[in-house]
Amino acid sequence: MLHEFADLMDMHGDIFRRNAYRRAARSIEALDQSIEEIIREGRLRQIPGIGEGIASILMEIVESGTSKELERLRRTFPPGVAEMMRIPDVGPRSAVKFYHELGITNLEELKDAAEDGRIRKLSGFGERSEANILRGIRLIEQQGSRMLLSDALSKGSAIVEHIRSYGFPLVSVAGSMRRMMETIGDVDILVGTSHSVDAMEAFIAFPNAVDIIVRGESKTSVRLSDGTQADMRVVPEISHGAALQYFTGSKEHNVKLRRIAINKGLRLNEYGLFDSAGVNLVAGLKEDEIYRLLDLQPIPPELREDRGEIEAAARNQLPRLVTQRDIRGDLHVHTILSDGHDTMREMAMAAMKRGYDYVGLTDHSASLRIANGLDVDELLTSLEQARQLSNELNFPIMRGAEVDILEDGTLDYPDEVLDQLDYVIASVHSRFKMSIDQMTERIIYAIKSGKMQILGHPTGRLLGRREAYAIDLDAVMEEAARHGVAMEVNGFPERLDLNDMGCRRAKEKGIMVVLNTDAHSEEGLDNMHLAIGTARRGWLEPENILNCLPYPDIKDALAR
Ligand code: DGT
Ligand code: CA
Ligand code: CA
Ligand code: ZN
């Protein structure tokens, strides 16, 4: 809600208050204690960035579920005006300008205006920005109103926590979120209880639920303040496992599973696995039990896409999917030296705190000026500092760099500098619009240099913002296999690049994969679960993943 405040203040040009609310929102996100508890203990004002005004708004929200001031601000613009800000090139100031000067109140009208050439006539806009706006709208249309997995997961866990706090222990997320799909249509929540009415009450009381779409005995849907839909289903405890199976999907997976049940003379639905008469419940409480009774290994949610998982489970040949416990370190980490927010020391200590055996620091190379890339001297100085820090903390810090692959495929540091690094992540950050042949050749040229160990975010896509560049990924992977170059799964929420299918192709080709966060702050390290989810969807096992190696094996492997 504080972020929403900040957006609205931005639209009013109130930069000072916007910054204050944004800062307060970030401090609260970083807490490991709930804000309710902190208020109860009277420690609200001790949180950095929370002054008197914001403190009283927070208390009002916690008490009443909403803020009068926020509701007033929401009414100052039609809701579609904020939605225009989903277009990458449209900030609050532009959105408000479209509204005031052209009377545009939503995306639809903005599209019409851009197509009619009315945007280019506004001061500060031209044909180019008009074309960019149209391209942005098309991307949004393609993506529909789907949200990033990371956003959905935080909304989902907030709802789960809220409902649990009302005394319902059996609450889970289901649907595409549980399968860790890269984008999510709506949030699905499942509760196992015989007190359906009370559970629905708890759901509707979720502070961020602003609208009830449908309200029934077994299903209720609400709209959250940012437009997201959340569905909640309630089943009796005894059916919780069956309902979890059913509402996790995918639909294709479920269709096949139901057919298997029928062939065994059983019946499967969201209330359980029944005998053929549909009378006697054979299983329902535990999801795993349902798979077992169908003579299948329990299938992890991330695999449930009808991509061969049911056949593999029948043969007892499901992969042993990677988990967080298998990950020994993060190899793509930025610091304050380039465009990160925290120091080498802070990032190293944050990695230690997360139980890793090592960390790899990889700031940007010189040509990436917008990210304050390091020149050779700065890089060499930082290597020495990292070595000392590693000794001091008694924690292995591997010294890498995220080196640009320049337009002609050369790497952005001289060979003798690259040789001093423990490893190199090479990435494309410029000139995305080459032809498929040029881009493929550019990256293959870099791989052939023999100076890079990892290809960073291999396709360059940004979910909802930028398409992958044109690239022949098979050709790139074949060259990578020949040169022992690993492919990154970048866990930055908008990237998830390689994607699930890319992981599976890498595995088939015998290429190692690295799961990284591309963290630009301490909290950024917590995005590892997104990379892991993507890898699991791609059937990856620890043996396919470079950073499942302990230290010093990882160092040897990178050196080889
Ligand atoms: P989303 O929300 O578009 O990201 O994708 P899902 O998979 O979360 O889809 P959703 O929210 O429509 O439904 C959640 C799950 O419920 C879905 O994965 C499978 C199950 N489900 C929904 N409708 C049907 C249906 O008509 N038949 C079957 N077998 N399952 C369904
Ligand atoms: Ca869903
Ligand atoms: Ca749904
Ligand atoms: Zn990068």
Side-chain angles (χ1 to χ4, degrees), residues 174-177 184-188 231:
S176 51
M177 282 172 69
I184 305 297
D186 65 5
V187 171
D188 295 291
D231 293 346

Side-chain angles (χ1 to χ4, degrees), residues 62 173 257 307 317 517 536:
V62 166
V173 300
L257 210 62
R307 292 176 180 164
Q317 282 175 354
T517 63
R536 287 169 64 88

Side-chain angles (χ1 to χ4, degrees), residues 319-532:
R320 208 289 263 162
L321 297 182
V322 60
T323 67
Q324 177 73 56
R325 278 189 308 283
D326 300 311
I327 302 295
R328 304 299 192 98
D330 196 328
L331 293 178
H332 190 157
V333 172
H334 295 274
T335 77
I336 206 166
L337 295 175
S338 62
D339 57 347
H341 296 285
D342 298 315
T343 62
M344 287 202 279
R345 177 185 298 271
E346 284 164 337
M347 294 308 283
M349 289 178 64
M352 292 172 80
K353 198 170 134 196
R354 282 158 181 77
Y356 288 141
D357 296 351
Y358 51 83
V359 70
L361 300 181
T362 53
D363 276 308
H364 285 290
S365 62
S367 77
L368 202 60
R369 295 234 171 70
I370 50 163
N372 192 27
L374 275 56
D375 65 27
V376 169
D377 286 341
E378 290 168 329
L379 175 69
L380 295 177
T381 309
S382 78
L383 295 184
E384 180 51 28
Q385 287 167 347
R387 196 179 58 77
Q388 286 173 16
L389 181 62
S390 180
N391 288 338
E392 185 193 326
L393 297 176
N394 193 22
F395 180 67
I397 297 176
M398 289 199 284
R399 300 169 308 164
E402 183 178 16
V403 181
D404 267 35
I405 299 175
L406 302 177
E407 194 178 341
D408 60 0
T410 57
L411 297 177
D412 193 23
Y413 287 124
D415 285 358
E416 61 273 19
V417 173
L418 295 175
D419 287 338
Q420 297 183 49
L421 295 165
D422 292 326
Y423 67 101
V424 169
I425 301 176
S427 318
V428 168
H429 289 122
S430 60
R431 293 296 314 264
F432 300 111
K433 294 197 174 100
M434 294 179 151
S435 73
I436 180 163
D437 290 345
Q438 283 174 318
M439 186 60 91
T440 305
E441 210 173 304
R442 171 182 179 181
I443 293 174
I444 284 180
Y445 188 89
I447 291 173
K448 282 181 168 167
S449 72
K451 301 292 178 192
M452 60 178 275
Q453 283 70 31
I454 299 167
L455 179 61
H457 41 76
T459 77
R461 65 110 176 249
L462 293 175
L463 288 163
R465 283 216 287 146
R466 191 170 77 207
E467 308 259 22
Y469 33 74
I471 183 178
D472 180 348
L473 204 53
D474 277 316
V476 167
M477 284 194 186
E478 270 147 36
E479 203 61 39
R482 270 194 284 280
H483 289 266
V485 165
M487 296 278 137
E488 177 177 74
V489 176
N490 187 301
F492 201 78
E494 291 179 303
R495 289 196 184 273
L496 307 186
D497 177 14
L498 294 177
N499 66 8
D500 50 1
M501 296 308 277
C503 288
R504 215 163 157 180
R505 268 151 93 186
K507 181 178 178 176
E508 279 162 20
K509 291 183 192 294
I511 299 170
M512 291 299 270
V513 168
V514 190
L515 308 190
N516 284 332
T517 63
D518 202 348
H520 285 70
S521 66
E522 292 180 40
E523 302 80 57
L525 293 170
D526 294 328
N527 286 328
M528 187 59 87
H529 67 290
L530 302 174
I532 293 171

